[in-house]
Amino acid sequence: MQLDQPLSEKEFDELDQFLLGERSPEDSMTMDHLHGYLTAIAIGPETIMPAEWLPRVWGEDGKQAPKFKNGKEEERILNLIMRFMNEVLVTFEVAPKEFEPLFVEHEHEGQMLIDAEAWCWGFWEGMELRAGSWDEIFDSEIADLMRPIYLLGADEIAEEELPEVEDPVKAHKLALAIEANLPAIHKFWVPRRKAAVGTVKRDEPKVGRNDDCPCGSGKKYKKCCGAGQAE
């Protein structure tokens, strides 16, 4: 299956059951937790490679691992996670205003409310992979757009802020605000996003401008194939 294919409902359930199953570490993320985590990584200030973020799906310390039946099952589950991530990436790339966070619903006093807490825990964990890099948005003119995620996702909030998250109706409103705010948060980071650090390897030695041209003409490189290049 190609990595650009979104998960079908059956595949979503398959990954969900594995994450909740006995062969996954006890601290493995749930699907809503994972979705928040992947969202922060997808839209945040720096590109983070799977080799760094993937181990933390199974536990915050990154040292846990599932008990896969065999290599085939491991490949299958990791493929599902990568496709889940790509779904987030593609949505923000082509239609950020259509992105829908994976919040859960619950009934409260006869009405269905949204619970975004686990999603926000995941988003906060994704932020913590590059904690200092997120400071810029908290110091910006759109800092207030991050507040609902902070209230529901941060490890600790101020005592006077607790009523905003302990009341299910107020928490529901925070969830709605998060969904509305995410396109602007994504837009903030697009021009600022840093690529993953890598090393470029030159396959052939660099040709000096005063060296003989490698094309075999007998001319100096600067007067042959290098003539069109800037000094």
Side-chain angles (χ1 to χ4, degrees), residues 133-185:
S133 297
W134 282 84
D135 290 347
E136 188 175 355
I137 195 169
F138 284 99
D139 295 332
S140 74
E141 69 282 358
I142 66 165
D144 285 347
L145 299 186
M146 293 295 297
R147 191 167 186 273
I149 295 175
Y150 152 75
L151 288 172
L152 291 174
D155 294 332
E156 294 183 8
I157 62 175
E159 187 173 350
E160 60 269 22
E161 295 170 329
L162 289 174
E164 295 185 65
V165 300
E166 291 178 342
D167 182 329
V169 176
K170 291 181 178 179
H172 171 86
K173 292 179 179 178
L174 289 174
L176 294 177
I178 290 168
E179 183 167 359
N181 295 347
L182 281 171
I185 295 170

Side-chain angles (χ1 to χ4, degrees), residues 68-130:
F68 294 111
K69 290 179 180 178
N70 48 46
K72 185 176 180 180
E73 182 184 55
E74 179 177 6
E75 182 180 357
R76 170 67 175 174
I77 295 300
L78 298 185
N79 177 276
L80 293 177
I81 293 173
M82 293 306 301
R83 286 169 53 200
F84 199 39
M85 169 55 128
N86 286 343
E87 206 172 330
V88 174
L89 289 166
V90 169
T91 303
F92 275 109
E93 183 177 347
V94 302
K97 292 182 179 180
E98 295 181 13
F99 181 78
E100 295 183 4
L102 184 62
F103 298 153
V104 297
E105 292 185 334
H106 65 103
E107 186 174 346
H108 174 72
E109 297 182 352
Q111 58 180 328
M112 294 303 297
L113 300 179
I114 300 171
D115 181 357
E117 191 171 51
W119 189 94
C120 289
W121 291 342
F123 195 99
W124 202 261
E125 286 180 33
M127 287 173 53
E128 288 180 336
L129 294 177
R130 293 293 185 276

Side-chain angles (χ1 to χ4, degrees), residues 203-219:
D203 294 326
E204 298 177 2
K206 182 178 179 180
V207 180
R209 292 183 61 76
N210 289 315
D211 293 342
D212 291 339
C213 191
C215 75
S217 66
K219 298 179 182 180

